[in-house]
Amino acid sequence: MENMGLISLIPPVLAIGLSIAFRRVEVSLFAALFVGLLIILHGNPVDTSMSLVKDYLIEQATDSYNAGVLVLLFFIGGFVALVEKSGGGNALAERSEKLITSRTRAQFATWLGSLAIFFSDLGTPLILGPIFENIYDKVKSSREKLAWILDSTMSPVAVLIPFIGWGIYIMGLIADAFDRAHINASEFTTFVHVIPFQMYAILTVLSVPVVIFANADFGPMRRAEARTAYHNQRYWPGSKPLRGENGQQNETPKASRATLIWLPLAVLFTTLFGILISQGFPVKQVPGNEFRAALSTAYLFAAITLVVLMLLYKVSSLGSVFSTYVKGMERMINVVIILVLAWSLGALLDKMGTANYIVEILQGNIPGFLVPALVFIAAGLMSFATGSSWGTFAIMIPLAIPIAQGLNAPMLVCIGAVLSGGIFGDHCSPISDSTILASTGAAADHIDHVRTQIPYALTNGTIVLLMFIVAGITASPYTVVLGVILMIVSFVTIGRLMRKRDDAYAQIPQPQAH
């Protein structure tokens, strides 16, 4: 296999190292791209700069497939901004307040609310947190528990959905890697088939109701819940919540109502699946270009519906609505930059033969069935160190796909391992934006949130690692079912042991006051 040998590892190693050091994915990808080109062009900085702009950035941004992805991302950004501005999510959550009379109901309602606001992963805690924090205080549940539920339903939910920004971003990386590896497959179909192998996301989302209904809190979370329930203490002494107590992060417009969220989403789904079904979905494979066009149309119609509703209910003026939509598009600029740089770096690594060199090193030394587990560990460590799952996807997917192909490892399982590892590391990382936003939305102390969340994340991560070894052997999508069963058994057993310990402690004679 053609490659430049050890020198071909410099760009990806540099990208990872700079991501860890500076926590800026864009800067890291750009530097890695520049240095790689500098090597190829024998150290000439002028030729390197010219080639970087002309042969990589412009070429990747103007490619017909890539341009379609970028346009779609802008449509999604505008729609999400309108939904957040409308206050429909807040109104939907506020309507359920009267039904919430216990800790179990409060926690389960938070979980359901997070699932409903799947389209805005980073907006979820800022929409639901300020609403539910008062409810949690009323039912005596901890802010750490609220932060954990929000964090467990942000990225883990978003990464499973093909028709929001996360899915579009990931499919863009997959399609680019497939093109370079000469794999003739639809990125949309591939993403759907990878969903059962996104085992960390699935286990994390499902573990929330298991913990809620089995009363399976353990570790620092159990102590936080006891502090709130039995001592009526909102925080530990010395804790510093990231947001003022009971401070509203997002106020609901007075004229807002739940219609502003469910009707636009109904229009979105009806339009999307109406177009796809007319083209043979799910019986026939829908080409990527047709899927993106259908999705762009669906988001456009949904946005138009929402604009009409916001004007009808006098939630906002026409000028303010347009301004919000444009600002939502502007929020996607960073994603667009990362994608273009990731595509460019993928082209460079393909030219240098980086994946070919890694395959040569591993071939005969690592059995193919272990590759998914190793990919999961590598992605998890990188995501933990950088606090960025998207940056991890950008660097790991262009490497994992050709490595899986070269080592005869199950391709879908390896892609799932990258996505699972990225979410796992992000979920554990104190510097992750999703972790910080969960603490902010719940008005929790950030370190308290990280400490209470990590035991759950490590439990699910250990199960997922074992499942990727099994999936590496069987390549069966039903491996996730075994993982879910192990997760349920593990959490229920741990919860039962914790309750027995608590009961035993309660029976110990306490010193009498004199």
Side-chain angles (χ1 to χ4, degrees):
M1 286 183 264
E2 293 185 8
N3 61 77
M4 295 179 66
L6 186 62
I7 203 171
S8 68
L9 295 179
I10 291 177
V13 170
L14 184 64
I16 294 170
L18 291 177
S19 294
I20 294 171
F22 298 105
R23 301 179 192 131
R24 295 293 301 183
V25 177
E26 318 92 295
V27 175
S28 306
L29 291 171
F30 183 87
L33 180 62
F34 189 88
V35 170
L37 276 171
L38 203 61
I39 293 170
I40 292 176
L41 297 174
H42 312 293
N44 187 318
V46 176
D47 289 348
T48 296
S49 300
M50 290 286 291
S51 178
L52 186 149
V53 174
K54 182 181 66 173
D55 301 327
Y56 288 87
L57 299 181
I58 292 177
E59 184 170 325
Q60 295 301 324
T62 56
D63 175 83
S64 61
Y65 172 89
N66 295 350
V69 171
L70 303 183
V71 168
L72 176 54
L73 284 171
F74 285 124
F75 274 114
I76 293 173
F79 173 73
V80 170
L82 283 179
V83 172
E84 293 173 353
K85 174 74 172 178
S86 73
N90 301 53
L92 187 64
E94 287 174 349
R95 286 185 62 179
S96 63
E97 279 191 45
K98 296 179 181 179
L99 303 174
I100 301 172
T101 56
S102 67
R103 285 199 295 170
T104 299
R105 286 188 179 184
Q107 293 168 10
F108 188 61
T110 309
W111 183 73
L112 289 178
S114 296
L115 297 183
I117 310 178
F118 62 87
F119 51 85
S120 178
D121 59 309
L122 297 182
T124 297
L126 302 182
I127 292 171
L128 295 180
I131 294 170
F132 277 96
E133 65 180 32
N134 297 315
I135 298 173
Y136 275 57
D137 292 344
K138 182 177 70 175
V139 300
K140 295 185 177 181
S141 186
S142 67
R143 295 295 177 86
E144 291 93 328
K145 191 65 169 290
L146 174 57
W148 171 66
I149 295 173
L150 293 173
D151 210 346
S152 298
T153 46
M154 293 168 58
S155 304
V157 170
V159 78
L160 295 169
I161 301 172
F163 46 80
I164 64 173
W166 281 70
I168 302 306
Y169 174 79
I170 293 165
M171 284 189 282
L173 295 172
I174 291 172
D176 188 64
F178 276 3
D179 185 54
R180 301 188 195 291
H182 306 292
I183 297 172
N184 185 22
S186 162
E187 69 279 8
F188 173 64
T189 304
T190 299
F191 185 96
V192 172
H193 289 163
V194 166
I195 289 175
F197 298 112
Q198 294 200 45
M199 289 188 273
Y200 182 78
I202 292 171
L203 263 62
T204 297
V205 173
L206 295 181
S207 66
V208 173
V210 171
V211 170
I212 292 171
F213 291 109
N215 188 21
D217 290 314
F218 61 94
M221 184 70 81
R222 193 166 189 84
R223 293 192 289 275
E225 284 290 278
R227 178 202 72 219
T228 308
Y230 302 118
H231 302 288
N232 200 27
Q233 293 180 359
R234 189 172 295 163
Y235 303 106
W236 294 111
S239 293
K240 297 178 181 179
L242 288 189
R243 183 166 50 81
E245 296 182 27
N246 298 321
Q248 291 298 314
Q249 187 76 19
N250 286 318
E251 293 185 3
T252 305
K254 291 181 180 179
S256 187
R257 53 189 74 191
T259 310
L260 281 96
I261 189 169
W262 67 257
L263 186 56
L265 289 177
V267 170
L268 191 155
F269 293 136
T270 302
T271 304
L272 174 62
F273 289 106
I275 294 174
L276 293 180
I277 289 171
S278 69
Q279 298 188 18
F281 178 82
V283 178
K284 290 173 60 179
Q285 180 172 297
V286 178
N289 286 332
E290 297 299 326
F291 171 72
R292 287 190 305 282
L295 195 48
S296 296
T297 303
Y299 271 104
L300 178 60
F301 284 8
I304 292 171
T305 303
L306 185 50
V307 168
V308 171
L309 289 173
M310 290 174 72
L311 296 176
L312 182 65
Y313 294 129
K314 299 181 180 179
V315 172
S316 187
S317 65
L318 184 61
S320 179
V321 166
F322 286 147
S323 177
T324 298
Y325 192 79
V326 172
K327 286 179 180 177
M329 288 183 162
E330 290 173 355
R331 279 161 48 180
M332 302 305 289
I333 291 293
N334 195 51
V335 176
V336 168
I337 291 172
I338 293 174
L339 255 183
V340 173
L341 288 171
W343 287 328
S344 300
L345 184 60
L348 175 71
L349 297 182
D350 182 58
K351 190 170 185 177
M352 298 181 78
T354 304
N356 294 342
Y357 178 64
I358 295 174
V359 169
E360 280 188 5
I361 295 173
L362 298 180
Q363 212 160 29
N365 298 316
I366 299 293
F369 75 87
L370 281 181
V371 172
L374 295 176
V375 167
F376 172 74
I377 293 171
L381 290 173
M382 180 182 171
S383 184
F384 177 81
T386 62
S388 171
S389 54
W390 282 42
T392 300
F393 301 157
I395 295 172
M396 291 293 296
I397 286 178
L399 291 174
I401 288 175
I403 288 173
Q405 188 181 39
L407 294 176
N408 198 29
M411 181 77 65
L412 298 178
V413 183
C414 288
I415 297 173
V418 172
L419 303 181
S420 290
I423 297 297
F424 171 58
D426 182 80
H427 210 209
C428 295
S429 178
I431 61 173
S432 162
D433 54 358
S434 59
T435 309
I436 293 169
L437 281 173
S439 301
T440 303
D445 178 274
H446 184 56
I447 300 304
D448 289 343
H449 167 46
V450 174
R451 287 175 61 250
T452 52
Q453 177 161 276
I454 280 183
Y456 299 119
L458 290 178
T459 301
N460 279 328
T462 302
I463 294 170
V464 168
L465 178 60
L466 295 174
M467 291 305 98
F468 274 121
I469 295 175
V470 175
I473 298 170
T474 64
S476 171
Y478 297 107
T479 307
V480 70
V481 177
L482 176 59
V484 170
I485 293 171
L486 281 177
M487 178 271 292
I488 294 172
V489 171
S490 298
F491 279 110
V492 170
T493 302
I494 293 172
R496 187 173 298 169
L497 291 173
M498 292 297 101
R499 289 194 298 276
K500 285 183 178 179
R501 188 199 66 178
D502 293 345
D503 292 342
Y505 178 78
Q507 294 173 8
I508 298 175
Q510 302 298 312
Q512 299 296 315
H514 295 287

